[in-house]
Every structure is written in structure tokens, then in C-alpha cells.
Amino acid sequence: MRLVILDSSDKVAEWAAKYVLKRINDFNPGPDKYFVLGLPTGGTPLGMYKKLIEFHKKGLISFKYVKTFNMDEYVGLPRDHPESYHYYMWNNLFKHIDIDPQNVHILNGNAKNLEVECELFEENIKKSGGVELFVGGIGPDGHIAFNEPGSSLVSRTRVKTLAQDTLEANARFFDNDVSKVPKQALTVGVGTVMDAREVMVLITGAHKSFALYKAIEEGVNHMWTVSAFQQHPRTIMICDEDATLELRVKTVKYFKALYAVHKKLIVGEGSQQNEP
Ligand code: GLP
């Protein structure tokens, strides 16, 4: 597992966006070869999306041959509700880039049959050739997507009832009123994300530091579902200084010493353009 420790959440956003840019451009997608990208919502990835839009406007990246699959969506929230993940994705990314709307996949939390909706989503991922890079965020309780503590680590896309911690963490988007947060969501499973060829998790803020400690320094545990990615051959976690508060000094020193190695992951051969 790689852990990239950066000074601030802004640096995390920039680093993550540069990584996505490089991965897509190196893949060289085309009409017969789409890049399949898994995407999260939440406050953490907002800066990365802003940067990707900026790179797109500068002509550094095109999403024409990119297919996206989002991690999750609330059940029963109208698609045009400002807190729906549909609304979030269109406003914070898709409407600003050249992606074909047909290539965007977001679970429909208002589908008549939610189980069928989840099965189709899994089938669509398979039909697209699998996810090349799944970008994720985590909750303070270490959940990835909406895989709450206790979720099976081989779970697939399904309906999930949200934990109290998650309802409270997300109340800030619903007038700070926990009762307004939808109680259920559709979410990809831990197994769905594990199937991706690479997983990148963004973790910022002191309130996520215990979860990062559980993810990195303790064993795989279904009560901290992000810890499952210790067993993924290509996991990269990007965090800020605040999120390292619960890590051992030895761990932080080790990963910080790898900065020169990590820097190479976002700098193109002979190109200064991507220099962090
Ligand atoms: C929600 C989402 C997760 C997201 C998490 C963290 O629970 N389902 O996918 O990672 O929130 O959000 P934030 O980045 O706002 O802390």
C-alpha cells in the first residue's frame, strides 16, 4: 500500500487530480478503449474535481473516452435535490467537462426495484471492462462509499441502511438536521471496489485520523471497511498532515521519506507541466 502524506487538503486535491490526469493520459483512451473511472462524492473530493475542471479547460485532459461509475446515492431523494449525488456530480464535475452523459453511471435511488438497479450497475461495470481506477473517500468511522461498519468485505452493490455516525456526519448537508438525512442508500460493495485495478482513497482532516490509523496500522477489519484495501495489490491513500495525527511517528516518517518516489507518480516523463 502507498500512503502519500501532503501538507494540506489543497495539496491532496491537487495531487489526486494530477494522478487522475496522468493515469488517463497514459492509458490513452479512444473509441475502442475507454478509461473506466470510479468516483466519490462528499466534501473531500471537491478540490480534486475543481482541479480536473481546470486541467480540462487548459486542454490537458479530455473525458471523451472516459466512463464513470459513482460509488453511491441516497434512496428516495429526488435526482434534482441539491444534496443528491446526481446533482452533486453534474454540478461539481460533469457539466464542466466533455464527458458524454451516456458514459456517466450513477445509481438511481428512486428506481422501482432497487435490487435490480444494483444488479444492473454491477453488470454495467463488467460490460465496461471493469474499473481501472476507483477513487474513494471515507467517513470518520472508516466506511468506504456507504459500506458501514460491519459490512461484508466481499459485498457487492446493494441497498444499505446508514449508521447513526454517518447520518450525523452528513447532517451538515441537510440543515444540520439528522432527521432530514435519508436513512438508506445504494452503494457499491467493498468487493466491487476491490475488483478495480487500482484504488485511490482521499483522507483529510483530524476527524478522519482514527480511521486512517485503523486503515493503515491495524489489521483488516469489517468494522473499518476501508482497511480491506490493505489486501488490494494497488491501493494508494492520499492524506493531509491533519489526518496523520493518530499514526505512529515511525509510520509517518517512513511514508514521508518516500516523497521523491511518490512525486514520480504524477510527473510525466520529461514534462514540467505536472510538477507538484
Ligand atoms: C459519505 C459518502 C462517502 C464519502 C463520505 C465522506 O458517507 N457516502 O462516499 O466518502 O461521505 O464524506 P466527506 O468527504 O464529506 O467527509
Side-chain angles (χ1 to χ4, degrees):
M1 180 190 285
R2 292 182 192 273
L3 175 66
V4 181
I5 302 172
L6 300 164
D7 290 347
S8 63
S9 56
D10 285 350
K11 293 269 181 223
V12 169
E14 193 178 345
W15 204 100
K18 284 180 174 173
Y19 192 69
V20 172
L21 168 103
K22 182 162 162 51
R23 286 285 273 108
I24 294 178
N25 286 344
D26 285 355
F27 188 90
N28 196 18
D32 301 321
K33 193 183 154 204
Y34 276 77
F35 187 94
V36 183
L37 181 65
L39 293 174
T41 53
T44 314
L46 277 174
M48 176 185 77
Y49 291 144
K50 274 201 191 114
K51 277 278 160 198
L52 284 173
I53 295 165
E54 193 185 307
F55 295 158
H56 170 66
K57 296 209 160 129
K58 283 186 183 160
L60 298 174
I61 186 171
S62 165
F63 293 85
K64 192 162 180 218
Y65 299 116
V66 173
K67 289 187 185 182
T68 63
F69 287 87
N70 259 83
M71 292 199 129
D72 40 22
E73 176 58 289
Y74 289 114
V75 167
L77 206 58
R79 200 173 269 227
D80 58 359
H81 187 288
E83 294 309 332
S84 85
Y85 290 171
H86 274 81
Y87 189 96
Y88 171 107
M89 287 310 299
W90 285 101
N91 282 289
N92 291 310
L93 182 64
F94 297 143
K95 78 174 186 193
H96 306 285
I97 58 175
D98 61 342
I99 197 160
D100 181 342
Q102 284 186 354
N103 292 330
V104 168
H105 303 85
I106 307 177
L107 285 152
N108 177 6
N110 294 295
K112 268 199 190 127
N113 188 329
L114 295 174
E115 276 169 31
V116 171
E117 172 67 15
C118 293
E119 277 165 28
L120 287 175
F121 196 76
E122 289 273 343
E123 269 172 38
N124 263 330
I125 293 179
K126 262 195 208 130
K127 266 196 236 152
S128 307
V131 176
E132 189 60 34
L133 174 66
F134 224 129
V135 184
I138 64 167
D141 61 359
H143 72 240
I144 181 115
F146 270 129
N147 292 287
E148 300 289 32
S151 292
S152 159
L153 299 184
V154 293
S155 50
R156 312 302 310 184
T157 305
R158 66 209 183 292
V159 184
K160 197 79 196 163
T161 299
L162 304 184
Q164 188 61 26
D165 279 356
T166 303
L167 297 176
E168 283 168 17
N170 289 355
R172 68 191 197 275
F173 299 119
F174 294 86
D175 309 324
N176 285 316
D177 182 349
V178 179
S179 71
K180 287 188 184 162
V181 185
K183 305 284 176 291
Q184 287 192 313
L186 303 185
T187 178
V188 292
V190 180
T192 318
V193 185
M194 283 292 283
D195 282 352
R197 287 185 274 286
E198 183 171 17
V199 180
M200 176 166 80
V201 187
L202 313 181
I203 303 154
T204 58
H207 63 304
K208 303 266 176 88
S209 61
F210 197 69
L212 183 64
Y213 148 70
K214 286 281 182 182
I216 302 268
E217 291 187 351
E218 292 224 336
V220 173
N221 184 331
H222 70 161
M223 296 309 285
W224 299 83
T225 52
V226 65
S227 65
F229 297 96
Q230 289 175 17
Q231 295 200 318
H232 191 289
R234 282 189 78 180
T235 295
I236 180 162
M237 300 213 178
I238 325 287
C239 72
D240 64 357
E241 196 70 43
D242 288 349
T244 66
L245 286 177
E246 297 284 347
L247 294 181
R248 287 180 216 174
V249 174
K250 187 163 95 173
T251 309
V252 175
K253 279 194 168 171
Y254 172 72
F255 285 109
K256 277 195 168 176
L258 290 171
Y259 181 71
V261 177
H262 293 151
K263 197 172 139 183
K264 286 194 189 127
L265 297 171
I266 54 168
V267 179
E269 291 266 321
S271 133
Q272 295 304 305
Q273 212 162 35
N274 281 341
E275 194 73 34

